[in-house]
Amino acid sequence: MTISQVGSYSASKGIKVSTVNSKEILSGTTLIKRGFAHMQKHGVIMDVTNVEQAQIAEDAGAVAVMVLDKLPYDVRHAGGVARTASVKVIEAVLDSVSIPIMAKCRIGHSSEASILVEIGVDMVDESEVLSPADESRHIWKWNYTTPFVNGAKNLGDALRRIEEGAAMIRTKGEPGTGDVSEAVTHIRMINNEMKKLKGIHDNGDNQELIKIAREIRSSFEIVKETARLGRLPVVNFAAGGISTPADAALLMSLGCDGIFVGSGIFKAEDPLERAKAVVIATTYFDDPKTVLEAQKMIDERKSMLGLDIKNLDLKMQERGPTI
Amino acid sequence: MNDELLIGVLGLQGDIEENIKATNNAFKEMNLKGKIISVRYPEELLKLDGLIIPGGESTVMGLLIALKNGLLDSIRKILQEGIPVMGTCAGMIVLAKKSYDKVVGNKNQLLLGALDIEVERNSFGRQHDSFESNLNISGIGSDFRGIFIRAPSVISAGPGVQILSKFDEKIVAVKQENIIGTSFHPELSGDSRMHRLFIELVSKRKANR
């Protein structure tokens, strides 16, 4: 199988069986959910708050849009409780663009998730950008036919989310800051952990693998498969603080499968050109000449100013359950 | 003359690596010498014996084809010369003459117009309607696992287009001379028979030159 099935829950309520002309058809299988994420690879998923932004994102080459009530930068400034976006806005976006549409629900908020699924979004992001609804548990995502994406700061986070049913991982940075340093740190950390696992696997040391599995609070099965693959068993995108083509290229060069851009595009003064430039730099990340061409399309004076992570009152990446 | 086949996967966006893997498996099963690479530059395309346009988002691939100098011309040249090309899902849309989205209608997107078909995008619905099921494909058999992810279908096909497979009355695989298009993702099914069918076209054309 091209896509790893590791961590699948066989009694998943999200699997729907039906028949068409006496042929059995299956929806919501691990392959169909993880497969959806594979179609996003090498692409840019852009945060939008209305139809106009969604259309700009589509025209600029976004592979999908993520609908929010407020961009992470504005969530930070508004304070208060950040919840899922208005149903009307999500429905309007669904009717206006042809690319996949994702939306965020609060961590642990299975009712918000169900609403998003009913509206018909293509993927649900259980996200720390919104205020967590449950401080001790994430959603059991195997209950849904629609795939989910979750954030992760380290390998244990990522593998636990996959075992709960996440079909895609985004490596957490610090959203709404315009600063990629946290995303870079966490991607390096996950990469280093996986490199170490691969070495142990190649030495055939299962006892060491099960010890690590216990340390990072994940199952032996998924740790062993990750060690064998030398990468996460699902698609892994970078997120948090990406604002320029060069940022996108940097994160792709660290081995991510694609990127999420939050505030970086629509908090800038040149969203259409910038979005296009980020798309180009994501595809040609390893080609400095083309990244330069992309970087020329934007003006640094129009970039979002950004926030120094050291001075933040709210660290979104640290929100939600630790297990 | 070098008898090793060189196939490229258009490496702009989508499941590029999955197509590389499926093609390598097919080479192995056919006991053929062949190389499969990801291609993003005009000059790389002109060396190919065959091209695969992968799954992903057709609007994104179209935009990236248009944005890179010379890329559109070199893909057109390949198609004009009759070099075999296979498009899976988004790849088939990009190859089509006409397309529209089931919900949104007409979208201004770049199409290569090489396959004489009209395609309906998201023809089976959104992601929660994505599915897998067995398909009957002519020349392959009735047990091919079709992986349909926000899949398109072929609404109408010109006289030169051979229909390879239908599902629920909808056309889901076509062949027109050296071009193959599928609504589903043969690269994800772990079954390389569709890729083998494509490699046979590539091999035949190379032998006849």
Side-chain angles (χ1 to χ4, degrees):
Chain A
M1 199 53 96
T2 315
I3 294 179
S4 174
Q5 304 286 301
V6 72
S8 294
Y9 177 60
S10 58
S12 167
K13 283 188 200 158
I15 298 177
K16 293 273 181 298
V17 187
S18 51
T19 44
V20 167
N21 300 340
S22 74
K23 267 191 182 168
E24 186 186 75
I25 75 170
L26 296 177
S27 296
T29 60
T30 300
L31 180 56
I32 293 295
K33 288 175 172 178
R34 291 186 188 171
F36 168 78
H38 278 249
M39 296 311 138
Q40 309 291 306
K41 284 173 67 182
H42 306 274
V44 182
I45 300 170
M46 300 180 193
D47 278 2
V48 300
T49 58
N50 56 44
V51 167
E52 191 197 355
Q53 290 180 349
Q55 280 168 341
I56 291 173
E58 181 177 42
D59 292 343
V63 82
V65 292
M66 174 77 70
V67 186
L68 301 91
D69 177 49
K70 295 182 199 72
L71 293 171
Y73 180 86
D74 295 323
V75 169
R76 214 172 260 298
H77 285 267
V81 178
R83 309 181 185 89
T84 196
S86 301
V87 173
K88 273 187 189 159
V89 173
I90 301 171
E91 282 176 341
V93 174
L94 282 170
D95 289 338
S96 68
V97 299
S98 67
I99 54 177
I101 289 144
M102 307 181 178
K104 289 180 190 287
C105 73
R106 284 179 262 175
I107 290 174
H109 206 315
S110 50
S111 293
E112 273 190 358
S114 297
I115 287 168
L116 296 178
V117 166
E118 283 302 313
I119 299 172
V121 304
D122 297 289
M123 183 172 246
V124 178
D125 183 2
E126 188 182 16
S127 175
E128 67 285 354
V129 167
L130 307 186
S131 311
D134 191 330
E135 292 291 350
S136 65
R137 303 179 358 159
H138 283 82
I139 296 171
W140 182 251
K141 292 162 277 281
W142 296 112
N143 281 349
Y144 300 86
T145 308
T146 300
F148 278 65
V149 54
N150 272 96
K153 279 201 300 184
N154 54 49
L155 187 60
D157 272 355
L159 299 184
R160 287 195 297 279
R161 298 296 83 79
I162 294 167
E163 292 197 296
E164 293 162 1
M168 178 176 181
I169 293 295
R170 52 178 170 73
T171 308
K172 285 184 196 175
E174 189 53 40
T177 59
D179 184 346
V180 289
S181 64
E182 292 288 301
V184 169
T185 303
H186 296 140
I187 288 156
R188 282 243 171 77
M189 202 146 78
I190 292 181
N191 283 347
N192 289 341
E193 287 176 282
M194 286 191 297
K195 240 179 248 162
K196 191 176 125 197
L197 282 185
K198 181 106 180 70
I200 297 167
H201 181 267
D202 292 347
N203 282 332
D205 192 350
N206 283 323
Q207 186 60 22
E208 186 62 21
L209 286 181
I210 202 167
K211 187 192 126 209
I212 292 172
R214 288 166 183 154
E215 282 167 0
I216 66 173
R217 296 175 291 171
S218 304
S219 75
F220 173 60
E221 190 204 1
I222 201 164
V223 168
K224 190 170 162 73
E225 175 73 348
T226 304
R228 185 184 71 81
L229 295 169
R231 58 154 293 142
L232 287 183
V234 302
V235 166
N236 180 25
F237 271 41
I242 298 161
S243 9
T244 67
D247 289 347
L250 171 66
L251 291 163
M252 289 302 286
S253 74
L254 294 174
C256 295
D257 295 315
I259 60 167
F260 281 92
V261 184
S263 315
I265 289 171
F266 290 104
K267 277 287 146 192
E269 290 164 38
D270 50 0
L272 178 64
E273 277 301 290
R274 184 170 296 253
K276 262 190 204 168
V278 169
V279 169
I280 295 169
T282 302
T283 291
Y284 292 95
F285 71 92
D286 54 350
D287 170 0
K289 262 194 192 142
T290 309
V291 175
L292 168 62
E293 279 170 32
Q295 192 78 7
K296 272 187 190 163
M297 291 167 68
I298 65 148
D299 182 345
E300 179 54 21
R301 281 168 293 187
K302 291 180 177 170
S303 294
M304 70 181 281
L305 180 59
L307 299 165
D308 188 338
I309 288 175
K310 284 191 281 305
N311 301 330
L312 293 180
D313 295 327
L314 171 65
K315 276 208 162 183
M316 289 177 174
Q317 55 175 285
E318 284 162 10
R319 301 211 274 196
T322 55
I323 188 93
Chain B
M1 194 182 107
N2 182 7
D3 62 346
E4 190 182 74
L5 300 177
L6 180 64
I7 297 178
V9 178
L10 192 62
L12 300 175
Q13 190 272 320
D15 67 342
I16 300 155
E17 295 77 8
E18 295 74 1
N19 270 289
I20 290 177
K21 197 171 169 186
T23 308
N24 271 327
N25 287 345
F27 278 140
K28 238 181 259 163
E29 288 167 18
M30 297 168 86
N31 222 349
L32 264 182
K33 262 179 115 185
K35 209 172 149 193
I36 171 93
I37 55 168
S38 165
V39 292
R40 293 176 296 177
Y41 300 96
E43 56 278 16
E44 290 175 320
L45 274 141
L46 299 175
K47 294 181 199 146
L48 300 178
D49 300 312
L51 174 69
I52 296 174
I53 307 181
E57 279 305 316
S58 59
T59 49
V60 182
M61 282 184 227
L63 197 88
L64 284 163
I65 289 171
L67 282 173
K68 189 84 194 158
N69 263 343
L71 196 52
L72 178 58
D73 288 345
S74 58
I75 297 175
R76 288 222 163 107
K77 190 153 181 252
I78 278 188
L79 288 161
Q80 274 159 13
E81 285 179 7
I83 289 173
V85 179
M86 176 163 78
T88 69
C89 196
M92 177 172 78
I93 301 171
V94 173
L95 284 166
K97 211 162 240 171
K98 278 166 92 178
S99 90
Y100 66 91
D101 184 89
K102 196 180 181 183
V103 176
V104 185
N106 277 324
K107 272 277 156 185
N108 191 14
Q109 70 177 117
L110 181 132
L111 300 174
L112 295 167
L115 256 179
D116 188 12
I117 55 172
E118 180 171 12
V119 169
E120 180 178 67
R121 292 176 60 203
N122 301 315
S123 188
F124 297 89
R126 308 197 71 93
Q127 173 59 17
H128 55 63
D129 301 315
S130 294
F131 65 95
E132 46 182 295
S133 188
N134 284 349
L135 291 178
N136 192 346
I137 304 176
S138 32
I140 288 185
S142 60
D143 57 345
F144 193 91
R145 197 68 176 162
I147 312 296
F148 292 82
I149 297 174
R150 287 172 45 96
S153 77
V154 177
I155 293 301
S156 64
V161 179
Q162 186 193 346
I163 292 159
L164 297 181
S165 183
K166 278 188 174 186
F167 186 83
D168 193 15
E169 312 299 320
K170 289 179 172 174
I171 301 168
V172 294
V174 291
K175 181 172 174 289
Q176 177 190 318
E177 289 171 4
N178 275 345
I179 308 173
I180 294 176
T182 67
S183 298
F184 51 93
H185 293 281
E187 70 277 16
L188 295 186
S189 55
D191 181 339
S192 64
R193 283 179 290 173
M194 201 75 217
H195 284 75
R196 266 154 47 193
L197 198 73
F198 176 64
I199 292 171
E200 275 168 26
L201 290 182
V202 176
S203 178
K204 218 179 272 171
R205 184 183 179 276
K206 179 138 176 159
N208 289 341
R209 283 181 71 82

